[in-house]
Amino acid sequence: MSAYDLLLAPIVDYGFMRRALVATLALAIGAAPVGVLLMLRRMSLVGDAMAHAVLPGAAVGFLIAGGLSLPMMGLGGLIAGLSVALLSGIVSRATDLNEDASFASFYLASLALGVLIVSLRGSNVDLLHVLFGTILAIDSEALVLVAGIATLTLLTLAIVYRPLVAECFDPGFLRAVGGRGPLYHLLFMFLVVINLVAGFQTLGTLMSVGMMTLPAAVAHLWARSLPGLFAVAAAVAAVSGYVGLIVSFHLGFASGPTIILTAASIYLASLLVAPAGALRRLIPRPHLAG
C-alpha cells in the first residue's frame, strides 16, 4: 500500500471522511484554546462535568426531532449546559458549597436523566450515538454549526483576550480595578458550553471534553508562553483528529474513541520526551559557571 493510499485516499475518495476531517479541524481550533484556559484555571474536571451536563438537553432534542437530529440535539445541549452552569454558580454563591462540588452534583443528575430519557424512547444504537458521537455521519447542517461555534470562539477570544487572561491568573486584581470578573467568568463558561456542544456533534457527550483537555495537557508540557500553549494545543488536536480518522478508517475502529486515544498517545509520549517531561528531569543539567 502506497503512502497516498494510506494517508490521503480515504479523505480524497470519500465525502463523509472529508466532512469528518473538517469538523475535527474546526473543533480543534475552537476547543483547544478554551481547554488551555480551562486548565490554567484548574477547572479541567469542571469541563468534564459540563460535557455530561449537556446530555439531558440533547436527549430532549432527540425526542422533539424524533431521532438523531444533531442541530436540534445541539440546541438542547446548549440550553442544558448553560442552565447547569448558571445553577452551579448560584448554588456556590448562595451556600457553602464550592463551584466544583455544585458542578459534580448537577452533572451526575444530568447524566443519569439524559441516559434515562434516551433509553426510554430510543434504541441502544441511539444511546451509543448520543454517548460516543457520530462523526462519520455528520451532515452539512451540523458541520456549519461546528464551524460557526469555532468562529465565534476565536472572535470572542480575540476581543476579550486580556480580561479573560487577567481573570484566569489574578481574578482578585481584576475585581480591584473594577474589571467585571464575574461577567468574564460567565462569558468563559459560555465558551466552554458551546464548544462542548460542538464536540458533542462529533464525539458524543462522553468524549467531547477530550479535545479540550488532552491537547491542553500536551501543550503545557511543550510550551511556556500563552500564545505557544494555544498553538500547540490546536496543532495536537488537529493532528489527533486526522490520525484518528485515518486509523479508524483502515482498521475499522470507532472514530470518536480512536481520535481521543490518538490524543492520549501524544500525551503519554510527551510525558516522556517533552521539555517538562519525565526523561528531561532525569538527565543531569550542568551547573551555571561563575
Side-chain angles (χ1 to χ4, degrees), residues 106-257:
F106 282 113
Y107 119 73
L108 289 171
S110 300
L111 179 61
L113 179 61
V115 171
L116 182 63
I117 293 174
V118 176
S119 61
L120 286 176
R121 294 299 183 91
S123 66
N124 289 334
V125 174
D126 293 329
L127 181 60
L128 288 175
H129 285 169
V130 171
L131 294 177
F132 298 105
T134 54
I135 188 170
L136 294 182
I138 192 169
D139 57 18
S140 299
E141 191 175 3
L143 186 59
V144 170
L145 177 62
V146 175
I149 289 174
T151 303
L152 177 61
T153 299
L154 293 179
L155 289 175
T156 304
L157 289 176
I159 293 171
V160 296
Y161 175 79
R162 288 190 176 183
L164 272 183
V165 173
E167 203 270 334
C168 177
F169 286 104
D170 196 350
F173 170 77
L174 195 62
R175 286 194 301 269
V177 298
R180 299 177 182 177
L183 176 62
Y184 289 111
H185 179 74
L186 182 61
L187 177 60
F188 175 71
M189 293 308 299
F190 172 75
L191 293 179
V192 172
V193 171
I194 63 172
N195 278 278
L196 289 174
V197 168
F200 162 77
Q201 305 289 322
T202 56
L203 303 173
T205 57
L206 295 185
M207 298 286 176
S208 58
V209 74
M211 287 293 268
M212 282 188 183
T213 56
L214 283 170
V218 173
H220 275 75
L221 293 170
W222 288 97
R224 286 293 174 264
S225 67
L226 194 54
L229 290 171
F230 288 157
V232 173
V236 170
V239 170
S240 300
Y242 171 74
V243 174
L245 285 173
I246 294 297
V247 171
S248 67
F249 178 85
H250 288 296
L251 300 183
F253 295 160
S255 298

Side-chain angles (χ1 to χ4, degrees), residues 1 52 76 256:
M1 181 179 292
H52 302 320

Side-chain angles (χ1 to χ4, degrees), residues 58-70 72-73 121-123 126:
V60 172
F62 172 84
L63 294 180
I64 294 175
L68 289 170
S69 171
L70 292 182
M72 183 63 71
M73 293 167 68
R121 294 299 183 91
S123 66
D126 293 329

